[in-house]
Amino acid sequence: MKKTALIFISILFLAPLFANKKYSESKYFFTDTRLKLREDSDLSSKVITVLDDESCVLFLKEGISESIDDKLDNWVKVKTIPQKGKSGKSFEGWVFGGYLNPTKEVPEFSEENKLCLITEKVINYDKRGESVYSYFYIENNSACSKLLSYLIRFSGPNYETRSYASYKISNGKKILYLGFRMIDDGPYGAKYYKIDLSNIEKSQLFLSYDEVKGNEEFIKNNVKLLISYHEGYDGKYVRSPKKSYSMYKKADSNSEAVGRISKDGKVFLCFGWMGAKERQIIFEDKKEGFWVQCVSPVDNSKTCWIWID
């Protein structure tokens, strides 16, 4: 009896060590496909309802681990959070966690009793990866609103696009700076947008390298294209807006000036590489804008900094 009790106690203490880290670090999750909500943690259990893609759920309890469709994950008990503006009540039940995306809170955009969360969705087309970040606003655990999505990565046989996001609170406004970079055998391009998310619940945007879709009124009043550069196959260059930039050795206007990019010059911005160790965007407290690294048009082996506002 003593040996059995010792083993039982040992299991109780060791169990947390084997808990899925995915559920210990996140509270909210989003489905990445249509998913059945069941009464129990079993494929034979009765289906309560079917959740749509990108449905929001609140994590309640972690269940058994199982491999389904080559995905090893846990069954989890969840509470659904309905989308704002749509009819529907909240349900509690069990789902297989292999089809749940964990979220990350954006403290800069959170308000009292409201959270702004990011989730990543990865889609494969013919073995090519597409990754999308989506922002959701959750209010009092009772309503969820999708604010915006943007393509963070897409790879083809001869090209790749990536994006780079930075956040800033400026003069009471919640600002998202979003940059895109595209490299191909032929064309090269870079864009940077400034998005005022102060009225965050009305955004409803989708941004990719080529276009911005969504709430037209919001785009007109709150989305600004700061810099754009594209080099096409035909050798023609398109830039908007046309502006010249001073280049500095450091992210400091008092540092050594190393040249100037004319309004007709090429601007090879370094942003867009997710996971880069170096800090590619630098804000200043009292200025509306940011410093960004770029490749020197004079010497491709060197980088410098330009100020964009």
Side-chain angles (χ1 to χ4, degrees):
M1 290 291 291
K2 289 183 178 180
K3 186 176 181 180
T4 303
L6 181 60
I7 293 173
F8 179 73
I9 292 171
S10 298
I11 291 174
L12 286 178
F13 278 102
L14 290 174
L17 297 178
F18 296 97
N20 194 328
K21 190 177 180 180
K22 174 179 176 179
Y23 304 110
S24 63
E25 293 184 346
S26 295
K27 182 179 179 182
Y28 298 95
F29 294 84
F30 289 88
T31 60
D32 65 4
T33 186
R34 286 175 59 83
L35 190 59
K36 293 177 180 178
L37 183 74
R38 300 179 182 272
E39 289 186 346
D40 206 349
S41 54
D42 190 293
L43 287 176
S44 62
S45 179
K46 183 180 178 180
V47 175
I48 300 172
T49 186
V50 179
L51 306 180
D52 290 331
D53 184 16
E54 291 193 334
S55 292
C56 178
V57 298
L58 172 66
F59 169 78
L60 298 177
K61 181 180 179 181
E62 183 178 343
I64 62 172
S65 176
E66 188 173 351
S67 180
I68 299 177
D69 297 334
D70 296 325
K71 294 177 180 286
L72 179 62
D73 210 303
N74 295 77
W75 284 89
V76 289
K77 188 175 184 181
V78 299
K79 177 182 178 182
T80 63
I81 300 179
Q83 287 193 23
K84 196 169 184 178
K86 291 186 178 181
S87 60
K89 62 179 182 179
S90 180
F91 297 91
E92 286 190 18
W94 291 84
V95 296
F96 177 62
Y99 297 99
L100 293 180
N101 289 325
T103 60
K104 177 178 66 175
E105 184 179 347
V106 186
E108 294 89 343
F109 296 156
S110 297
E111 297 177 354
E112 186 178 0
N113 297 322
K114 295 183 180 181
L115 295 173
C116 181
L117 302 170
I118 298 175
T119 185
E120 180 180 3
K121 183 172 184 178
V122 180
I123 310 169
N124 289 314
Y125 298 107
D126 300 325
K127 297 183 179 180
R128 292 179 289 172
E130 175 180 311
S131 297
V132 177
Y133 268 0
S134 295
Y135 291 61
F136 298 85
Y137 213 39
I138 299 175
E139 186 173 353
N140 295 322
N141 287 339
S142 60
C144 172
S145 303
K146 185 175 180 180
L147 305 175
L148 65 92
S149 294
Y150 64 86
L151 191 68
I152 60 172
R153 180 176 61 86
F154 184 75
S155 300
N158 302 308
Y159 64 89
E160 181 174 28
T161 63
R162 298 225 179 175
S163 64
Y164 186 90
S166 301
Y167 317 100
K168 185 182 182 184
I169 301 295
S170 178
N171 297 322
K173 293 183 177 181
K174 302 174 181 180
I175 306 297
L176 170 68
Y177 291 98
L178 190 60
F180 293 91
R181 178 172 175 172
M182 185 265 287
I183 292 181
D184 202 326
D185 285 347
Y188 162 89
K191 290 184 179 181
Y192 221 99
Y193 292 97
K194 174 185 175 183
I195 307 168
D196 182 358
L197 292 178
S198 299
N199 193 357
I200 196 168
E201 293 180 275
K202 293 186 177 180
S203 57
Q204 299 175 1
L205 306 174
F206 179 79
L207 297 95
S208 66
Y209 176 80
D210 295 316
E211 59 187 341
V212 180
K213 294 180 179 179
N215 186 319
E216 293 184 4
E217 182 179 353
F218 184 90
I219 293 172
K220 180 180 178 181
N221 297 320
N222 300 280
V223 180
K224 181 180 179 181
L225 179 62
L226 297 179
I227 188 170
S228 176
Y229 169 78
H230 178 71
E231 178 181 340
Y233 285 105
D234 56 6
K236 294 182 179 179
Y237 305 106
V238 179
R239 303 169 190 82
S240 176
K242 291 186 176 181
K243 184 178 179 180
S244 60
Y245 299 92
S246 295
M247 299 180 295
Y248 298 90
K249 192 172 183 178
K250 299 179 180 179
D252 183 349
S253 56
N254 295 318
S255 68
E256 178 184 351
V258 294
R260 191 170 183 84
I261 300 172
S262 69
K263 65 181 182 180
D264 295 318
K266 299 179 180 180
V267 184
F268 292 92
L269 302 180
C270 295
F271 63 72
W273 303 110
M274 306 300 290
K277 293 182 180 179
E278 66 272 17
R279 189 180 178 193
Q280 296 174 311
I281 303 296
I282 295 180
F283 295 108
E284 291 189 9
D285 292 337
K286 297 181 180 180
K287 287 186 179 181
E288 187 83 23
F290 57 92
W291 290 96
V292 61
Q293 265 189 320
C294 66
V295 177
S296 170
V298 179
D299 185 350
N300 289 336
S301 65
K302 294 182 179 180
T303 60
C304 52
W305 292 85
I306 60 174
W307 175 258
I308 296 177
D309 56 17

